[in-house]
Amino acid sequence: MNPELKQLTIAAKELEHLTGLEVTELFIGGIVGGAYRPGLFKTWQRFLSFCLTQLFIFVLIFIFTLPIGLLLVRNHANSVNDLSTITWFLQVSFSISTVAIVGWNVTMALKSKALKPLAHLLDEVDKYNEVVQAVAIVERLDAISSSQTHKMDRQQVIEALTIARNSLVCGLMTEKILRQNRGFLARRADLLMNIETNLTTLKTMEVTSQASEYIDLLNEALQIGISVHQEVQQFSQP
């Protein structure tokens, strides 16, 4: 990927700075004190990661609850080697671990509702980064062509992606401001105006050659801009 496109990509560190939260494929705000990202079952890779994470956390909780289980069964029998005592000890630890992981999942699910607007914007960021990757691939395939029309189409797509990126940044900043402090109304208004302007500019763009591979990518950038605009309008309602 050339430096121009690489600079357009919204990387994880920048995303963390814009949202004020750690963002991964599975979590918003980290595994401790955070929330699940919606769409965990969209792909089998995410589903597998989710299952492995659940297993890892359960095992970790189980290990930490072993001393608690030992304390609870200490007076259950005279010999800790007694089979029934050991079985009850494991059952107690397993039960505590099950209750703990269920409680953890419920807490994560409840927090996910509060972060739903941010989750939608993060999905648009993922789509945006995929479009940037697609442009890089088309660019490599188109490198052998010296068509002036394709060069013009590419430049328009780059401009559209730049505008879409700016809209995403403004949307993420708006969500962060509203989430952390709903008093900065003036700053919110500036960001909303910026998004409105970006969307208007995107809608006026046309690809020179309708048969160009870049037409679909330009449309993707436009759809991202529209989605960001609609999402911000929803969660910015007083």
Side-chain angles (χ1 to χ4, degrees):
M1 184 181 294
N2 67 48
E4 184 180 19
L5 289 176
K6 190 173 183 179
Q7 192 172 17
L8 284 174
T9 303
I10 301 178
K13 286 186 178 181
E14 182 178 7
L15 201 56
E16 183 176 344
H17 173 71
L18 290 171
T19 62
L21 297 169
E22 179 186 353
V23 178
T24 65
E25 284 190 349
L26 297 181
F27 301 103
I28 302 174
I31 194 171
V32 178
Y36 284 125
R37 282 190 65 173
L40 293 176
F41 309 107
K42 284 184 178 179
T43 63
W44 69 267
Q45 292 96 333
R46 280 195 179 186
F47 177 69
L48 180 60
S49 297
F50 172 76
C51 292
L52 291 175
T53 301
Q54 290 288 316
L55 180 61
F56 171 76
I57 293 173
F58 180 81
V59 171
L60 195 62
I61 294 175
F62 182 78
I63 292 173
F64 278 103
T65 56
L66 287 177
I68 300 175
L70 184 60
L71 288 173
L72 291 176
V73 302
R74 176 179 293 177
N75 299 323
H76 180 65
N78 295 326
S79 175
V80 294
N81 293 321
D82 184 75
L83 182 60
S84 62
T85 303
I86 296 174
T87 302
W88 190 46
F89 161 63
L90 293 176
Q91 287 177 345
V92 169
S93 298
F94 184 85
S95 299
I96 295 174
S97 300
T98 301
V99 171
I101 196 168
V102 169
W104 177 73
N105 276 285
V106 170
T107 302
M108 297 283 280
L110 292 175
K111 288 185 177 180
S112 295
K113 293 182 179 180
L115 294 175
K116 195 173 182 179
L118 175 59
H120 288 163
L121 289 176
L122 292 176
D123 288 341
E124 296 303 320
V125 171
D126 290 341
K127 292 178 185 178
Y128 168 81
N129 284 334
E130 288 174 2
V131 173
V132 175
Q133 292 287 344
V135 171
I137 294 172
V138 173
E139 190 177 66
R140 291 175 62 186
L141 295 174
D142 205 36
I144 58 175
S145 173
S146 58
S147 171
Q148 189 65 28
T149 299
H150 278 205
K151 290 181 179 179
M152 292 174 62
D153 293 345
R154 175 194 176 279
Q155 188 57 40
Q156 281 195 313
V157 171
I158 295 298
E159 291 176 7
L161 285 173
T162 302
I163 295 171
R165 188 185 198 283
N166 184 265
S167 293
L168 282 167
V169 170
C170 289
L172 291 168
M173 291 175 64
T174 302
E175 190 281 333
K176 180 181 177 182
I177 288 171
L178 294 178
R179 175 164 35 89
Q180 294 182 345
N181 192 331
R182 292 184 174 271
F184 296 140
L185 298 180
R187 180 58 176 155
R188 181 187 69 175
D190 290 341
L191 293 169
L192 289 174
M193 181 63 69
N194 198 332
I195 293 174
E196 293 275 3
T197 303
N198 289 338
L199 183 59
T200 301
T201 305
L202 275 175
K203 287 182 176 179
T204 61
M205 284 189 167
E206 294 182 358
V207 173
T208 305
S209 172
Q210 294 299 309
S212 169
E213 295 90 342
Y214 291 103
I215 180 64
D216 292 335
L217 301 176
L218 181 60
N219 287 332
E220 285 286 344
L222 175 58
Q223 289 303 316
I224 290 171
I226 293 174
S227 297
V228 171
H229 178 265
Q230 292 174 342
E231 186 63 33
V232 172
Q233 286 290 341
Q234 288 182 14
F235 67 69
S236 294
Q237 294 297 326

